[in-house]
Amino acid sequence: MDRTPASLLRAARQQLDGREADWLLMHVTGLSGARLQLAADEPLDASTATAFRDLVSQRRGGTPLAYLIGTQPFRSLELTVDPRVLIPRPETEELVERALTLVPANGPASVADLGTGSGAIALALKSERPGWRVTAVEASADALAVARANADRLGLDVDWRHGCWFTPLSGQTFDLIVSNPPYVADDDPDLEADVATHEPAGALLAGADGLDAIRCIVAAAPAHLTDTGWLLLEHGHRQGEAVRAILSAAGFSAVRTHRDQQGLERCTEGCLRGDEDHG
Ligand SMILES: C[S@@+](CC[C@H](N)C(=O)[O-])C[C@H]1O[C@@H](n2cnc3c(N)ncnc32)[C@H](O)[C@@H]1O
């Protein structure tokens, strides 16, 4: 069987989307795209070719590309990911963008990220606002290990806490609490099969209407916010109205939902002071 990059890629590109075959071959060989082009007709060793074909077959079977290559870009960071954590999404990069506008950039703000997973939000905030004190909570010890490893590799200092939402934050208050919690309804017919099969259920599902985690966070958040603090939540694109109602019922004001780049309602914020308005 022909083991040159050119023929391996030709076969794989017929089976996979876009540049996925190229990414997988770069990953398995450790070579750049340019280097692979230069060596396009030089046969790879048999074990590398077999490993590549195996990755192509896993990808065809629905395993997310990020799990196969082990990394996912998130804002300016390259995060290590594996099936212990949700793969960070582009919508969550927009949540970070909104978080950055809610708190003055140059102050020593304290920020909490609830349900940190790979550490994406906490690490992005710390890297873009080095002066902020960032605390991150995660219920899954496996996920927290991934987040800590990302922080160590990136040299970013985050206070990691293991536990359920605010339980490990007893007595602490924050200028900003941000979360991308699980928000998929348990029997949501729109949940993609590949996501449901490969990504951790504990990162996705949140009860009959998908709002259990958000209700829990909103109920406990007031005791953990400073007087001018903000709560910012990502949610499903059909949950904006419900999340606004949950926040308002809990006494939040300046409640406002933002749309993502696809025009879908994606994150909602609120604060406890009536006169706050951050445009
Ligand atoms: C949708 S994922 C978000 C992960 C990451 N923040 C991101 O945006 O990519 C939700 C995360 O919340 C965590 N989680 C679920 N229930 C939790 C709880 N009760 N307390 C803390 N974290 C929880 C999950 O393990 C998962 O890592």
Side-chain angles (χ1 to χ4, degrees):
M1 208 181 290
D2 191 342
R3 289 189 267 112
T4 64
S7 72
L8 287 166
L9 280 175
R10 205 175 309 116
R13 282 176 185 149
Q14 288 171 5
Q15 305 173 56
L16 302 181
D17 290 341
R19 296 213 352 114
E20 291 189 341
D22 302 69
W23 290 115
L24 290 175
L25 192 60
M26 285 188 259
H27 170 67
V28 88
T29 59
L31 298 174
S32 68
R35 183 77 190 84
L36 280 170
Q37 259 186 350
L38 285 172
D41 298 317
E42 294 171 22
L44 297 171
D45 64 63
S47 63
T48 304
T50 302
F52 175 67
R53 290 194 190 97
D54 181 50
L55 287 176
V56 171
S57 137
Q58 287 186 60
R59 181 69 197 111
R60 285 194 72 194
T63 304
L65 184 71
Y67 287 157
L68 294 176
I69 63 179
T71 60
Q72 174 74 6
F74 188 79
R75 292 186 68 89
S76 63
L77 307 176
E78 193 74 15
L79 297 172
T80 296
V81 294
D82 65 30
R84 292 175 289 177
V85 295
L86 185 99
I87 300 164
R89 305 294 206 267
E91 304 89 271
T92 308
E93 296 181 299
E94 297 176 45
L95 180 81
V96 170
E97 191 65 38
R98 184 64 197 158
L100 293 173
T101 68
L102 283 174
V103 180
N106 38 12
S110 68
V111 178
D113 169 25
L114 304 184
T116 198
S118 62
I121 297 170
L123 292 168
L125 291 174
K126 186 66 188 175
S127 78
E128 294 180 53
R129 295 285 187 271
W132 287 5
R133 262 184 306 145
V134 180
T135 302
V137 176
E138 173 56 55
S140 155
D142 281 346
L144 201 57
V146 176
R148 281 183 199 275
N150 274 317
D152 289 348
R153 191 174 40 78
L154 295 165
L156 292 168
D157 180 21
V158 169
D159 183 1
W160 304 105
R161 306 282 180 92
H162 181 215
C164 179
W165 304 135
F166 290 100
T167 310
L169 304 177
S170 174
Q172 284 186 258
T173 56
F174 300 90
D175 300 303
L176 171 67
I177 296 168
V178 61
S179 181
N180 172 21
Y183 55 69
V184 179
D186 289 345
D187 61 356
D188 186 341
D190 293 339
L191 181 61
E192 290 170 39
D194 287 349
V195 174
T197 305
H198 295 281
E199 301 200 55
L204 299 167
L205 304 177
D209 62 0
L211 291 166
D212 284 1
I214 286 176
R215 279 192 206 93
C216 208
I217 291 170
V218 172
H224 295 275
L225 283 170
T226 59
D227 288 348
T228 55
W230 288 88
L231 175 63
L232 174 65
L233 299 166
E234 182 171 323
H235 50 72
H237 64 89
R238 295 195 192 93
Q239 294 173 330
E241 188 178 349
V243 174
R244 288 192 294 278
I246 291 169
L247 280 163
S248 298
F252 282 85
S253 53
V255 172
R256 178 172 170 188
T257 297
H258 300 273
R259 292 179 184 271
D260 63 22
Q261 289 204 339
Q262 297 179 43
L264 302 171
E265 289 195 328
R266 184 56 69 185
C267 68
T268 296
E269 70 205 21
C271 70
L272 295 173
R273 272 210 358 218
D275 56 346
E276 292 288 348
D277 185 5
H278 275 238

